[in-house]
Amino acid sequence: MIPSAFEYRRAGSVDEAIALKREAGSAARFIAGGHSLIPLMKLRLSEPSVLIDIGRVPGLSGVSEDGGRISIGALTTHADLESDPLLLAVAPIVAEAAGEIGDQQVRNRGTIGGSLAHADPAADLPAVVVALDAAIHIAGADGPRAVAASDFFRGLFEVDLGEDELITAVSFDRPSRAAYAKLRHPASHFAIVGVAAALTVEEGVCTGARVAVTGASTHARRLSAVEEALTGSRLDDDSIAQASAAASELGDVNADLAGSEEYRRAMTRAFTGRAIAAAASR
Amino acid sequence: MSVPISVTVNGRLHELEVEPRMLLVHLLREELNLTGTHVGCDTSQCGACTVLMDGDSAKSCTVFAVQADGASVTTIEGLSAEGGMHPLQQAFWDEHGLQCGYCTPGMIMSGVDLLDRHPDPSEQEIRRGLDGNLCRCTGYEHIVNAIRDAAGGAK
């Protein structure tokens, strides 16, 4: 399958990428790993007239920590996240979710920035960054800005990202206890449902909870009813089961060949329970 | 409008002009006549087109040739420099790790990445490492055995 013809530009810096995008207009797209965009272009569901390659912009790749705040460059590949020693030590939820994406070849090319910007309703990392209360760092012609992950995802493939803006990094505080549990589609490897849970626990009592789901609806979102049920409760099998039951209070739920609405609600409950239990045991 | 690129394929530097929409797999097969890299599903799923880019496995149907500018690409033809067999090729031969053979180049290239990450892989690690490669003959048992064999003997 051959994509429509396009012009190719390669950006050497974030500023140059934004300038190229402004010049090329709305029919231009950024490309990094291309593992969401190229398949769409081959199906001609996306036909950009100009591709601006940001894949080699220096300084946008890697994981670092400064004063308990972890920062991940937008061009960091899923494979690098999966094996990053810092993440494995202090935020294993990110490494384990990245390792659940696609397959090795996909993880070698796909990037965290691309995954978040594309915002596939069944992508893994959106749920993780929402649960970690991450900030999405964005560069644009008017300078840099940051937006909370839970505000970034707005709808089906819809995010808070202007036409001339691009994601440069994601940052979040070192999580206390966090885990991701996924029901993986056996063919596509996307999440039928995936749930990320980040908890703070003091002497067995949950004092704070952020729980987010992907795959269930149009975009990654918090499960507020679950969070409320967890907060203040002593974490045990019963309280986790009770809190997970609140996950069925999702709004509209996706139905497709991988699962009916009823099935997805049931799986969201089940995987919410697994994510909370895994986080609690960390 | 064509774009100049220079890409090293199997150790040899090529200076080429390519249309931006040309996929890496088509550059390899049609411009460089390296037809060992196969096109299977053409939708980033089956892994028949797997090559190494700077040492990491990639589906060459999902990479534009311009993205490989400056990269070092290894295909099945370049695994063994002297015309002999790479240990993985020998292991696929010894363990009969193929039926129709269509998926085999991709399986072997994924096997190289896999053994690079896990020099002594468990069966589970092998199966996970081959997640991105489909064998429609369903000959997975012997493929797994072959990779285990290449890693240093059956377990």
Side-chain angles (χ1 to χ4, degrees):
Chain A
M1 293 180 294
I2 312 293
S4 298
F6 57 87
E7 285 179 40
Y8 176 82
R9 309 262 190 276
R10 188 179 295 154
S13 68
V14 171
D15 288 346
E16 189 187 1
I18 292 164
L20 285 169
K21 185 76 170 67
R22 282 172 75 92
E23 183 191 311
S26 60
R29 292 287 304 267
F30 293 119
I31 185 169
H35 270 52
S36 298
L37 183 58
I38 296 175
L40 289 177
M41 289 177 65
K42 290 172 73 177
L43 295 168
R44 301 204 177 195
L45 294 171
S46 178
E47 299 183 81
S49 58
V50 180
L51 273 195
I52 299 160
D53 190 348
I54 57 168
R56 297 168 194 217
V57 172
L60 291 188
S61 191
V63 184
S64 57
E65 185 177 16
D66 185 9
R69 187 85 179 164
I70 296 158
S71 182
I72 301 174
L75 291 179
T76 312
T77 64
H78 308 314
D80 287 341
L81 294 176
E82 183 184 4
S83 59
D84 185 80
L86 177 62
L87 290 176
L88 287 167
V90 305
I93 180 176
V94 181
E96 82 196 4
E100 289 279 330
I101 295 169
D103 50 54
Q104 187 67 56
Q105 295 98 311
V106 170
R107 294 194 294 275
N108 285 344
R109 300 286 303 164
T111 64
I112 184 170
S115 172
L116 300 179
H118 181 63
D120 190 289
D124 299 287
L125 293 174
V128 173
V129 296
V130 170
L132 293 178
D133 196 16
I136 314 283
H137 299 269
I138 294 165
D142 302 328
R145 68 184 178 99
V147 56
S150 46
D151 297 328
F152 181 75
F153 301 103
R154 288 175 160 177
L156 187 67
F157 297 107
E158 192 192 334
V159 293
D160 177 10
L161 196 61
E163 223 170 58
D164 302 337
E165 290 186 317
L166 68 95
I167 298 175
T168 54
V170 180
S171 72
F172 50 88
D173 289 335
R174 196 191 259 237
S176 162
R177 298 160 191 257
Y180 181 65
K182 173 182 183 179
L183 177 61
R184 193 173 199 242
H185 189 287
S188 77
H189 302 163
F190 275 100
I192 297 173
V193 298
V195 180
L199 313 176
T200 46
V201 182
E202 285 169 29
E203 292 171 2
V205 175
C206 177
T207 55
R210 284 181 68 97
V211 182
V213 63
T214 188
S217 62
T218 53
H219 60 288
R221 59 176 62 183
R222 291 174 72 179
L223 294 170
S224 314
V226 176
E227 296 173 356
E228 280 163 29
L230 275 177
T231 308
S233 75
R234 181 160 292 278
L235 288 175
D236 55 29
D237 291 350
D238 286 345
S239 67
I240 291 173
Q242 213 162 34
S244 308
S248 11
E249 286 165 34
L250 278 165
D252 289 340
V253 170
N254 297 337
D256 56 26
L257 284 174
S260 64
E261 184 180 334
E262 189 187 3
Y263 178 72
R264 267 205 176 72
R265 280 189 202 281
M267 290 304 105
T268 302
R269 280 197 299 278
F271 282 79
T272 297
R274 290 187 196 186
I276 295 167
S281 69
R282 282 230 148 102
Chain B
M1 196 176 66
S2 290
V3 175
I5 62 167
S6 66
V7 54
T8 302
V9 180
N10 299 334
R12 196 173 142 206
L13 182 69
H14 297 270
E15 311 262 356
L16 302 143
E17 296 261 332
V18 297
E19 202 186 345
R21 63 175 165 172
M22 175 180 273
L23 297 163
L24 178 59
V25 69
H26 294 140
L27 176 82
L28 296 172
R29 289 179 57 86
E30 289 157 28
E31 301 293 316
L32 304 181
N33 293 318
L34 294 168
T35 53
T37 302
H38 293 167
V39 178
C41 69
D42 207 5
T43 55
S44 335
Q45 296 179 66
C46 80
C49 64
T50 301
V51 299
L52 302 180
M53 281 181 74
D54 295 324
D56 292 328
S57 61
K59 291 177 178 176
S60 60
C61 81
T62 312
V63 178
F64 288 122
V66 286
Q67 292 178 288
D69 184 21
S72 177
V73 175
T74 306
T75 70
I76 188 75
E77 292 93 338
L79 263 191
S80 173
E82 304 302 321
M85 297 248 262
H86 181 277
L88 265 164
Q89 290 172 309
Q90 186 64 50
F92 270 67
W93 178 292
D94 292 342
E95 294 290 326
H96 197 65
L98 69 155
Q99 289 182 37
C100 84
Y102 200 84
C103 72
T104 311
M107 287 286 178
I108 290 178
M109 299 316 284
S110 281
V112 174
D113 184 301
L114 166 61
L115 292 181
D116 194 34
R117 284 168 210 278
H118 304 282
D120 185 22
S122 64
E123 183 183 335
Q124 196 189 0
E125 284 168 335
I126 294 172
R127 290 184 182 274
R128 184 169 182 272
L130 297 179
D131 231 0
N133 294 76
L134 301 179
C135 166
R136 289 302 71 180
C137 309
T138 70
Y140 294 105
E141 289 299 317
H142 289 196
I143 292 170
V144 171
N145 292 346
I147 290 180
R148 188 57 250 166
D149 185 61
K155 265 193 180 171

